[in-house]
Amino acid sequence: MPSTLKNIAVFTSGGDAPGMNAAIRAVVRTAIHEDINVFGIYRGYYGMIHDEFKALDSFSVANIIQRGGTILKSARSEEFRTAEGRALAIQNLRKHKIDAIVAIGGNGTYAGAQLLGEESGIPIVGLPGTIDNDIYGTDFTIGYDTALNNAVNAIDKIRDTADAHERVFFVEVMGRDSGFIGLNVGMAVGAESILIPEIYDDKEKLLEYFKSKNTRQKLFSIVIVTEGNKEGNALDLAEEVRTNFPYLDIRVSILGHIQRGGSPTAGDRLLASKLGYEAVMQLKQGNRGKALGYRKGELSQTPFQDAIQEYDHLDKNLWKVARVLSL
Ligand code: F6P
């Protein structure tokens, strides 16, 4: 049922993702256009508990669409996991007369939003802000495209030096327990091997690959390992290959947080801007408890519970194609 909103709050939580600022900007400007006051809550759930609320106007979000990180800062809050912590957060939300919330973050943020919505009765919608692309109900998350491009740009540079020295490089990418970044980066850089958490039998294939490598005269190799890989991280796997093939010249490069920084791509800015606008419009229409996203170009609204519990499976066919192309 459509509702009259006076004050909404927006916050970012969990790992920052490029495009979060574009989403904040869209929420603030849409709300102002709809005659709604907007409060930014700094440092996510931590700031909700510790009363870090600040009124935002159109000028507060000027010149941020192109900036990585988040102007509202981000944090992971243990305190919010406790009933006492959430009670303090709700007290502050009531103090500032917040009657709807936009939560921007990943699965942990959504789990918190679900509890907060149930315990406070305040309508909340979520926007998917994480580089991992591991949120059910949306084809892409805000920050994922930029992270892919950051990783690809870095690995292209690694290729130059790998080629010059005829070395094997194990490159570790982020993604927590999800292989979206690993698989798609691996495909985009033409990696010889891609190890991701979802496919468990790959170490053996990796060793087979190096056994056959001698006869195939490949000058250098790039192996992509996702950080949550079940059979070992890049350092472990490199060590194992080194032990089995001592004649290979092996190096390890862990890309780390460089993947999460920098200016968001056009794709992430557009996704964030459209979703930020929709978040306010959906709250105005009385929608709540939903994680917003886009599925095949259409706006999707997934209950928080499903967004947290369900899983979008990787395209295993892409993994097979990547193997064929690396022959
Ligand atoms: O969820 C985003 C992410 O960058 C993951 O890919 C990674 O595992 C994690 O956050 C790193 O978290 P932190 O910045 O707290 O070290």
Side-chain angles (χ1 to χ4, degrees), residues 158-225:
I158 289 173
R159 285 184 80 95
D160 289 344
T161 173
D163 180 27
H165 286 270
E166 302 185 24
R167 281 174 170 161
V168 175
F169 263 86
F170 282 74
V171 182
E172 188 170 297
V173 296
M174 279 188 165
R176 210 181 282 275
D177 297 324
S178 157
F180 281 98
I181 294 181
L183 178 58
N184 287 281
V185 164
M187 179 90 179
V189 301
E192 275 64 35
S193 188
I194 302 169
L195 292 106
I196 55 177
E198 292 84 347
I199 296 171
Y200 307 112
D201 62 350
D202 213 36
K203 190 162 80 181
E204 218 163 288
K205 291 200 184 78
L206 180 70
L207 295 175
E208 268 167 35
Y209 163 72
F210 283 109
K211 231 178 258 169
S212 64
K213 186 174 152 65
N214 260 355
T215 53
R216 283 156 65 204
Q217 296 293 311
K218 275 223 171 186
L219 296 180
F220 68 95
S221 307
I222 301 284
V223 177
I224 301 293
V225 186

Side-chain angles (χ1 to χ4, degrees), residues 14-17 76 106 129-134 173-178 181 227-228 256-257 259-260:
D16 61 290
R76 303 187 201 273
T130 167
I131 63 164
D132 299 336
N133 204 40
D134 60 347
V173 296
M174 279 188 165
R176 210 181 282 275
D177 297 324
S178 157
I181 294 181
E227 59 182 358
H257 290 79
Q259 292 160 96
R260 235 161 66 183

Side-chain angles (χ1 to χ4, degrees), residues 48-172:
M48 206 180 279
I49 294 171
H50 296 276
D51 199 9
E52 298 190 19
F53 290 57
K54 192 178 156 202
L56 300 176
D57 58 19
S58 195
F59 187 68
S60 336
V61 292
N63 198 24
I64 65 166
I65 195 168
Q66 80 286 10
R67 282 172 56 191
T70 158
I71 59 159
L72 295 179
K73 315 290 180 198
S74 195
R76 303 187 201 273
S77 168
E78 280 306 314
E79 231 178 328
F80 193 78
R81 293 179 195 274
T82 66
E84 295 76 23
R86 291 196 298 279
L88 282 173
I90 292 169
Q91 208 174 296
N92 285 326
L93 289 165
R94 297 222 166 101
K95 184 170 104 184
H96 293 283
K97 300 189 170 34
I98 301 299
D99 38 31
I101 301 172
V102 181
I104 308 173
N107 283 314
T109 305
Y110 284 0
Q114 192 191 10
L115 274 176
L116 183 65
E118 283 166 9
E119 293 175 7
S120 68
I122 298 173
I124 308 177
V125 296
L127 299 186
T130 167
I131 63 164
D132 299 336
N133 204 40
D134 60 347
I135 293 186
Y136 176 79
T138 185
D139 290 342
F140 299 110
T141 56
I142 297 165
Y144 170 61
D145 187 52
T146 308
L148 287 186
N149 282 287
N150 284 343
V152 167
N153 289 336
I155 296 166
D156 283 349
K157 295 184 174 84
I158 289 173
R159 285 184 80 95
D160 289 344
T161 173
D163 180 27
H165 286 270
E166 302 185 24
R167 281 174 170 161
V168 175
F169 263 86
F170 282 74
V171 182
E172 188 170 297

